[in-house]
Amino acid sequence: IQQIKDRLNAMTEEQREAQAVLEKWRETLADVEDAAGINSLIESAKESSRAVQVLLNDRASVLGLTFDKKAGEYIVPKAA
């Protein structure tokens, strides 16, 4: 039973690589502090996994940015 559990819990090489990519993105996004920084990463995120795109969007939300579909980039929302 333990061998079966060990095999089920072992990450494949592909899973380890995907996890490493996500960790690199987390580190990169932690250093981003403005819309320009987020916008500079959009193209790279589009070429990456959906999880990376979610990380980018989450960081933009934390920074108080919204996505302007017309411009295709994140912006600081105008005050109401």
Side-chain angles (χ1 to χ4, degrees):
I1 293 175
Q2 186 60 44
Q3 288 177 338
I4 292 170
K5 285 182 178 180
D6 291 343
R7 276 191 233 136
L8 290 173
N9 290 328
M11 293 176 83
T12 67
E13 184 61 31
E14 186 176 301
Q15 289 170 321
R16 279 191 284 277
E17 289 173 8
Q19 190 63 36
V21 168
L22 286 177
E23 191 56 39
K24 177 130 176 80
W25 272 96
R26 283 187 187 101
E27 292 171 7
T28 299
L29 289 168
D31 294 334
V32 175
E33 296 294 329
D34 57 17
I38 291 287
N39 290 330
S40 70
L41 297 171
I42 290 175
E43 288 304 315
S44 295
K46 283 181 182 177
E47 296 170 2
S48 203
S49 69
R50 177 77 179 128
V52 169
Q53 295 169 18
V54 169
L55 287 175
L56 182 87
N57 188 56
D58 288 349
R59 181 61 181 160
S61 294
V62 167
L63 296 174
L65 306 174
T66 58
F67 191 74
D68 182 345
K69 290 181 184 180
K70 194 172 190 179
E73 62 183 24
Y74 286 92
I75 59 168
V76 177
K78 296 178 183 171

